[in-house]
Amino acid sequence: MDLDLRITRKTVQQEVVDKLRQAILSGMFPPGHRLIEAELCEALGVSRSSLREALRGLQAEHLVEIIPNRGPQIPVLSWEEAEEIYEVRELLEGEAAARCASRMNEEAISELEKRLEDFRQAAIEEASEALTETAAAFYTVILSGCGNKIIRQVLAGLLARISHLRTRSMSQPGRALKSYEEMQAIYAAIAARDAPKARKVAMAHVANARASAMRTFPVEAGMNQDI
C-alpha cells in the first residue's frame, strides 16, 4: 500500500500551533506582549483564519489570552497563580517520583539518566532555551513511568505555565547548576528504589524552584511574604 504523503490543512495548522508555542516558550513574545495578527500571518505565511484557529488552540493551553476589543496577547502570570502551580507541582511531582522508584524499569531509568545528562550539558553551557527543554524531557520520563495517567494529565495542562516559570527560575544566577544537583538526587533515589527519598527530594526541588522564581516577582511576592 502506498503511503499518502500529501500535506493536509490539519498538518499545516498543527505546524502553526507548534511554531507559535515554541516562540512563546522561548521568550520571543514576553508576558503582556500583544500579538498583531497581520504581522504573524506575514511571518508564518498563513491566512488569518488559520492563525485564529491556532490562537484558539493556544488559548486552551493558557499560552495566549484573547481580550475583547483588544485581541490576542501573552498572559501575565501573577505570583498568586505561580504559587498555586508550585503547590500542585510539589504534591504531584513528589508522588510521581515516589511511584517511579517503586515501578520504573531499568530501561526507563537509563533514559532518565540520559535526560539528566542533557540537562547537565545545558546548565554548563548556560543555554536558557535548552535548560527548559531538557528539564521538561527529564520530567516527561518521570511522568511516563509513574503509572498514574491523572497525574500526567493534570501536569500536562499546566505545561505551558510550568515552562514559563522554569525559564524565570533558571534565570537566577547559579540556579541551573543547583537544579542539576537536585535532579541528580531525584534520579539517584529512583535508581536506588527508595520511594520515600524520591518523594522528599522531588518535593524539595520544587520548593527550591519556587523560591528562585519568587525573586523574579519582587514586588508582588514580597507583599505576599509580609501577609
Side-chain angles (χ1 to χ4, degrees):
M1 180 183 297
D2 293 331
L3 182 64
D4 186 357
L5 295 177
R6 289 176 296 179
I7 295 176
T8 66
R9 174 180 171 80
K10 183 177 180 180
T11 58
V12 170
Q13 184 63 38
Q14 187 58 52
E15 186 174 358
V16 175
V17 172
D18 291 344
K19 290 284 188 182
L20 286 174
R21 184 189 296 112
Q22 182 180 8
I24 294 168
L25 294 180
S26 71
M28 181 182 292
F29 304 128
H33 179 84
R34 286 188 64 191
L35 299 172
I36 309 302
E37 290 186 358
E39 294 177 359
L40 290 176
C41 286
E42 183 177 356
L44 293 163
V46 297
S47 67
R48 183 158 293 191
S49 62
S50 293
L51 175 66
R52 287 178 175 174
E53 190 175 341
L55 290 173
R56 284 193 292 272
L58 293 170
Q59 183 181 28
E61 297 180 28
H62 303 282
L63 281 173
V64 168
E65 60 181 349
I66 300 176
I67 302 174
N69 302 319
R70 182 175 173 85
Q73 73 174 42
I74 307 303
V76 177
L77 188 66
S78 70
W79 175 245
E80 182 180 3
E81 293 170 315
E83 261 195 317
E84 291 174 353
I85 290 169
Y86 280 115
E87 288 170 1
V88 171
R89 280 190 60 197
E90 187 171 341
L91 291 171
L92 295 188
E93 290 180 13
E95 174 65 17
R99 291 173 64 88
C100 283
S102 302
R103 63 190 299 135
M104 189 176 272
N105 61 36
E106 292 301 324
E107 183 179 355
I109 290 175
S110 178
E111 181 66 18
L112 188 64
E113 185 178 23
K114 291 176 183 176
R115 301 288 76 82
L116 178 63
E117 174 59 21
D118 291 341
F119 182 85
R120 187 182 75 85
Q121 289 296 329
I124 291 172
E125 296 168 9
E126 298 182 343
S128 58
E129 186 174 343
L131 281 169
T132 302
E133 292 175 354
T134 53
F138 178 83
Y139 275 98
T140 294
V141 178
I142 290 177
L143 296 178
S144 297
C146 78
N148 187 310
K149 65 182 180 181
I150 302 301
I151 291 178
R152 292 176 62 185
Q153 289 170 0
V154 171
L155 290 176
L158 297 172
L159 180 60
R161 285 169 286 178
I162 288 172
S163 294
H164 171 67
L165 288 169
R166 277 199 181 114
T167 299
R168 295 184 74 140
S169 176
M170 296 290 183
S171 70
Q172 296 299 294
R175 178 58 197 159
L177 288 175
K178 182 62 176 175
S179 288
Y180 168 71
E181 294 173 4
E182 295 163 5
M183 290 161 66
Q184 187 178 44
I186 295 170
Y187 162 75
I190 291 173
R193 308 298 186 185
D194 188 339
K197 180 68 176 293
R199 183 191 305 277
K200 180 180 178 180
V201 294
M203 293 180 73
H205 173 56
V206 177
N208 289 336
R210 173 192 176 280
S212 179
M214 185 179 69
R215 290 190 284 272
T216 71
F217 294 82
V219 176
E220 194 177 352
M223 289 173 61
N224 285 357
Q225 290 296 304
D226 292 338
I227 296 173

